[in-house]
Amino acid sequence: MTKYQHIFFDLDNTLWDFDRSSILAFDKIFEIFNLINYGIPSAKDFHKTYFDHNNRLWDLYRKGEIDKDFLKIERFRLPLKDYGIVDEKLSIDLGESYTDYAARLVALVPNTMEVLNYLKEKDYKIHLITNGFLEVQSIKMQASGLDKMIDYSFVSEVVGYKKPDHRIFHHAMKEVGGNIEDSVMIGDDLSVDIIPAKEIGMSHIYFNRKKISHNEMLDYEIFDLIEICKIL
Ligand SMILES: [Mg+2]
């Protein structure tokens, strides 16, 4: 047994394969809304166009410059515009439909359940700290069965702070009865999950799934979730 008691995971692209479920959801909405008739060549092409806009809008959302409702519609309004389509209703409908499908089309990162079962057997408390929307994150957790494995979930929309704000980490540790010494943060995003944990003195495991090069000195770095079993 290690000194740790509380294991905090990020959700998207750490346990939940956000990229994969996003692609599956694009296949779905492309078909349902008959987007080929609007002149969009393929679901893959549409997803590519959407991807950059979505990333940029998420940055603005994290900084508090735009709100959730604006983000949901704008991330479809802008890519549609790139194809010369200006259709307010379609932007709204796609936004809603996508959010719904992306949460229901279950796609877990390989070895998620193996690792969570291992941690449970070792009596660790497993928690989530995620920047997503409450409704969406709840559907993902229920649809995938993650909800049964998780002790406490901290969703930024509810807590009132988003990662990398240190306050969401302090809040989460306090709520579960943990502290800096007995807690560890695991996530796929260096600047959002890992650097802030390091800054407050919390142990951290960087899940560098995409093998991104960096110069940070870290406690642990892994490339597959299963490696957690060697650390904890
Ligand atoms: Mg993530």
Side-chain angles (χ1 to χ4, degrees), residues 17-210:
D17 196 337
F18 187 87
D19 294 343
R20 180 154 167 67
S21 78
S22 179
I23 288 167
L24 293 174
F26 263 78
D27 287 342
K28 207 75 185 166
I29 59 171
F30 191 81
E31 189 191 311
I32 292 170
F33 290 88
N34 241 315
L35 295 180
I36 199 144
N37 288 352
Y38 288 86
I40 302 174
S42 66
K44 209 176 156 201
D45 197 88
F46 190 34
H47 187 259
K48 233 174 111 195
T49 312
Y50 158 92
F51 196 77
D52 291 335
H53 287 299
N54 184 49
N55 280 346
R56 206 165 32 76
L57 290 163
W58 261 95
D59 271 344
L60 296 176
Y61 173 73
R62 268 195 288 270
K63 289 180 198 149
E65 289 174 26
I66 58 170
D67 69 15
K68 166 180 141 179
D69 293 329
F70 182 79
L71 166 77
K72 276 189 178 174
I73 301 169
E74 194 70 3
R75 62 184 179 175
F76 282 95
R77 197 187 343 236
L78 293 175
L80 284 176
K81 216 174 138 204
D82 289 348
Y83 295 101
I85 305 160
V86 179
D87 188 330
E88 184 69 11
K89 189 176 180 309
L90 183 64
S91 309
I92 296 168
D93 291 347
L94 283 173
E96 279 176 8
S97 192
Y98 167 75
T99 308
D100 195 45
Y101 279 116
R104 287 174 207 282
L105 294 165
V106 174
L108 288 177
V109 171
N111 293 320
T112 290
M113 283 304 179
E114 286 81 351
V115 169
L116 295 184
N117 278 317
Y118 167 88
L119 295 173
K120 276 253 170 269
E121 268 170 36
K122 290 228 162 187
D123 275 338
Y124 288 109
K125 299 279 177 240
I126 306 169
H127 317 293
L128 284 182
I129 304 180
T130 168
N131 273 356
F133 309 131
L134 177 65
E135 199 198 334
V136 180
Q137 302 305 65
S138 303
I139 296 170
K140 286 178 192 170
M141 285 188 261
Q142 283 164 20
S144 63
L146 279 177
D147 58 333
K148 292 176 188 70
M149 310 297 286
I150 304 292
D151 290 287
Y152 284 92
S153 305
F154 299 94
V155 181
S156 61
E157 194 184 16
V158 179
V159 177
Y161 311 115
K162 302 181 193 85
K163 295 178 288 185
D165 191 323
H166 291 175
R167 288 174 291 185
I168 193 168
F169 298 91
H170 286 301
H171 170 88
M173 284 187 281
K174 193 171 160 225
E175 287 288 308
V176 304
N179 56 53
I180 289 283
E181 280 73 39
D182 67 8
S183 301
V184 54
M185 179 70 208
I186 304 174
D188 71 297
D189 192 315
L190 197 54
S191 56
V192 173
D193 303 311
I194 302 303
I195 306 281
K198 182 183 170 185
E199 282 167 350
I200 62 170
M202 189 179 180
S203 294
H204 45 275
I205 300 174
Y206 175 33
F207 176 26
N208 191 358
R209 200 177 165 207
K210 292 175 183 162

Side-chain angles (χ1 to χ4, degrees), residues 10-14 188-189 193:
D10 162 56
L11 181 60
D12 287 326
N13 282 334
T14 296
D188 71 297
D189 192 315
D193 303 311

